[in-house]
C-alpha cells in the first residue's frame, strides 16, 4: 500500500515505542534521527487519534511522561508494516505484561482473566488485529474512493452515523412506514443479523 510521508514518520515512531517503550518524548528523540519538535507533534497527534497513550507520569523531580501503544495503534500500523505483521506474537508477549495495555484490551472487548491466562490469547489478538486492520483499510478506501462505493453501502454506513440524531431517526421511521421496499430491505437485514446473533449466542453457551 502507498504510505504518506506523514504516516511513515508516525510508523517509525510507533515501532520505536513498541520495541523500546514505554518511552518519554526525549528517550524517543535519542533513539531516532528526528527533531524533538517533529516527535512532539506526532506524539500529540497519535495520542489524539488513540494510536498511543500515556503509560506513566513521574512527578519526582522533572516531570516525565512515558508513552506506549494502544490496541488501535497495532491495528492501524499493522496494515503498513511487514515487521509488525511478522512479529505480532512477540509484541503481544511483551506488552501483555503491562497493565495499561491489558486495560486497553479489556476496553476493546477482551476478557481480562482469559487474555492473561490462556495460551491461545496471542492468536486471538492476531485475528483481532488482522480483522480490524481490514476494516480500517475499507474505511480508508471509502474516504479516498467514495464515488466508486455503491450507493447502498454508502447509505448503510451513513445511516449508522445518524443513529444518535433524533430528527433523522424520526424521518427514517416515517419512511419505513411509507416505503414498502425500504421496509423489506431493513427486515432482510435484521433477519440476517438475528441469524448471526443466534450463531454467536450458541458459541458463547
Amino acid at each position: 500500500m502507498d504510505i504518506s510521508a506523514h504516516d511513515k514518520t508516525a510508523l517509525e515512531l510507533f515501532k520505536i515505542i513498541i520495541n523500546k517503550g514505554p518511552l518519554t518524548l526525549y528517550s524517543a528523540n535519542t533513539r531516532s534521527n528526528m527533531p524533538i519538535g517533529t516527535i512532539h507533534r506526532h506524539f500529540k497527534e497519535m495520542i489524539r487519534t488513540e494510536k498511543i497513550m500515556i503509560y506513566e507520569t513521574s512527578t519526582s523531580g522533572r516531570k516525565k511522561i512515558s508513552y506506549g501503544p494502544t490496541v488501535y495503534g497495532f491495528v492501524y500500523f499493522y496494515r503498513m508494516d511487514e515487521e509488525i505483521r511478522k512479529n505480532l506474537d512477540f509484541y503481544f508477549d511483551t506488552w501483555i505484561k503491562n497493565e495499561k495495555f491489558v486495560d486497553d484490551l479489556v476496553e476493546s472487548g477482551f476478557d481480562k482473566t482469559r487474555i492473561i491466562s490462556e495460551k491461545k490469547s496471542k492468536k486471538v489478538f492476531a485475528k483481532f488485529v488482522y480483522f480490524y486492520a481490514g476494516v480500517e483499510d475499507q474505511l480508508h478506501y471509502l474516504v479516498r474512493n467514495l464515488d466508486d462505493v455503491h450507493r447502498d453501502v454508502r447509505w448503510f454506513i451513513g445511516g449508522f452515523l445518524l443513529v444518535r440524531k433524533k430528527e433523522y431517526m424520526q424521518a427514517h421511521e416515517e419512511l419505513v412506514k411509507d416505503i414498502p421496499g425500504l421496509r423489506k430491505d431493513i427486515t432482510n437485514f435484521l433477519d440476517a443479523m438475528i441469524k448471526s446473533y443466534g450463531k454467536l449466542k450458541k458459541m458463547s453457551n
Side-chain angles (χ1 to χ4, degrees):
M1 66 181 297
D2 293 331
I3 306 175
S4 67
H6 180 274
D7 269 347
K8 283 181 181 178
T9 301
L11 171 60
E12 183 180 341
L13 287 170
F14 186 78
K15 288 173 69 175
I16 291 171
I17 289 172
I18 60 177
N19 283 298
K20 303 294 183 180
L23 294 179
T24 65
L25 183 69
Y26 296 100
S27 55
N29 178 241
T30 63
R31 289 172 169 80
S32 74
N33 296 319
M34 299 180 207
I36 193 75
T38 299
I39 298 173
H40 181 263
R41 187 168 65 253
H42 275 275
F43 271 30
K44 188 175 180 180
E45 181 181 317
M46 286 197 285
I47 289 170
R48 180 179 60 80
T49 55
E50 300 181 344
K51 298 180 183 77
I52 63 173
M53 62 182 172
I54 294 173
Y55 270 53
E56 185 180 353
T57 302
S58 173
T59 54
S60 58
R62 187 174 181 178
K63 187 177 181 180
K64 294 181 180 178
I65 302 174
S66 297
Y67 302 92
T70 62
V71 174
Y72 176 63
F74 277 109
V75 168
Y76 186 86
F77 291 111
Y78 175 95
R79 302 155 46 240
M80 305 176 185
D81 189 73
E82 176 70 24
E83 184 182 337
I84 291 178
R85 292 193 291 270
K86 183 179 178 182
N87 297 319
L88 196 60
D89 284 356
F90 166 77
Y91 294 129
F92 177 83
D93 287 337
T94 299
W95 289 97
I96 196 67
K97 298 170 187 174
N98 194 297
E99 189 69 23
K100 284 282 187 180
F101 189 71
V102 172
D103 289 344
D104 200 39
L105 284 166
V106 173
E107 282 286 317
S108 300
F110 288 82
D111 179 90
K112 185 173 184 177
T113 304
R114 293 177 65 184
I115 200 69
I116 294 174
S117 63
E118 292 188 2
K119 291 182 179 179
K120 71 174 186 177
S121 293
K122 70 178 68 177
K123 292 184 179 179
V124 176
F125 177 69
K127 287 179 183 177
F128 182 92
V129 172
Y130 169 77
F131 176 78
Y132 283 102
V135 171
E136 280 289 316
D137 272 336
Q138 291 301 302
L139 290 172
H140 281 264
Y141 178 87
L142 181 69
V143 170
R144 293 192 306 267
N145 305 279
L146 187 60
D147 289 342
D148 295 337
V149 178
H150 194 276
R151 178 203 66 185
D152 290 348
V153 175
R154 291 160 60 174
W155 285 3
F156 177 76
I157 295 171
F160 270 109
L161 299 177
L162 288 177
V163 166
R164 294 180 181 272
K165 297 182 182 290
K166 292 182 180 179
E167 65 274 20
Y168 284 102
M169 287 300 96
Q170 182 177 346
H172 186 255
E173 289 175 8
E174 292 170 1
L175 287 171
V176 170
K177 291 177 183 177
D178 294 335
I179 304 176
L182 181 59
R183 189 162 59 249
K184 182 180 179 181
D185 287 344
I186 292 173
T187 300
N188 289 340
F189 171 74
L190 291 176
D191 285 344
M193 289 294 291
I194 290 168
K195 287 180 182 178
S196 178
Y197 174 74
K199 290 179 181 178
L200 290 173
K201 192 172 182 180
K202 286 180 181 178
M203 290 170 61
S204 63
N205 290 338

